[in-house]
Amino acid sequence: MKRTKLYQLGDESLWRGPYARANGMGWLEGKMDFLSDSRQKDYKEFCDIQTGDNSPGIHIDDVGREWPDILASGHITLVPFFVSERVIQSLRDEEIPFRRAIEIPVTSIESSALRSIAPPKYYVLEADIGIELGEEMKDVPVGYLPPGKLASIPAGGIITQERPCPCPAYNSWNGSPLFTEKSPDVENQQYTRLYCDHSVTFLAMKEKWTNFKATELHVI
């Protein structure tokens, strides 16, 4: 039987493109539980010692002149991206389930072109676990060969070794149109790294979500 294509959701990541881009996020009390307890603690401490603009919510970089549906998170490592209210409404209208949508306000804007344009509501989007990880054998770099050591390997070459690496296992996919992968670290399970099938990518095309990107997911 032919496999259904699965995709990883993301943004176009065009640094000097037309769309706004987040470059930071201040601690927002009561809205950070999309992070694990340990990551919340670390990020709260980080925000407490930051200098400069540390207002709670999303900080927008000095690039861009339009508000996108998929807001790139730039230097933020907390989430891959934010989504607009239009995306959330599209998912609801099509009855595509998701775990949670947590509204995160935009609180500072460096782009002069965007200061006069009210931003849409943006959310951290979460999906339930829908696929588990298996192991795939891959050649992994394990060392560096100094010049002149072995004639059979190019001088200065990288030594690799075949090792098992985690990879989404197609047969474990539960058929959810929007989902995340099960983390081997249960205490730090994240729900914001999103994957989908064609129903979400077709919806994105139909609704013309801006700055949207879907990359085919490699599965085993």
Side-chain angles (χ1 to χ4, degrees), residues 30-139:
K31 293 288 188 83
M32 306 298 288
D33 61 344
F34 58 88
L35 300 174
S36 66
D37 290 344
S38 61
R39 292 189 73 205
Q40 283 188 60
K41 180 177 180 294
D42 291 344
Y43 195 69
K44 178 68 165 63
E45 291 176 355
F46 170 78
C47 289
D48 287 345
I49 62 174
Q50 282 289 91
T51 58
D53 183 5
N54 196 31
S55 54
I58 302 169
H59 303 166
I60 299 298
D61 213 331
D62 61 353
V63 299
R65 57 185 182 276
E66 299 176 35
W67 294 108
D69 288 311
I70 309 298
L71 177 65
S73 61
H75 302 302
I76 306 172
T77 58
L78 303 180
V79 292
F81 50 80
F82 302 92
V83 303
S84 72
E85 186 174 28
R86 199 165 77 89
V87 171
I88 300 299
Q89 190 58 54
S90 295
L91 294 172
R92 286 176 173 151
D93 290 345
E94 292 296 314
E95 298 183 346
I96 294 174
F98 53 86
R99 185 172 185 264
R100 288 192 304 179
I102 304 168
E103 185 182 351
I104 308 291
V106 172
T107 54
S108 70
I109 303 171
E110 291 185 34
S111 168
S112 57
L114 288 168
R115 287 177 188 156
S116 61
I117 307 171
K121 291 181 180 179
Y122 281 111
Y123 298 80
V124 171
L125 180 61
E126 294 183 331
D128 286 318
I129 296 169
I131 201 167
E132 297 186 13
L133 295 176
E135 287 189 343
E136 179 182 45
M137 299 303 293
K138 287 185 178 181
D139 287 332

Side-chain angles (χ1 to χ4, degrees), residues 129 131-135 166 181-190:
I129 296 169
I131 201 167
E132 297 186 13
L133 295 176
E135 287 189 343
E181 65 187 15
K182 184 177 182 179
S183 172
D185 181 0
V186 177
E187 292 185 359
N188 288 300
Q189 174 67 50
Q190 297 183 38

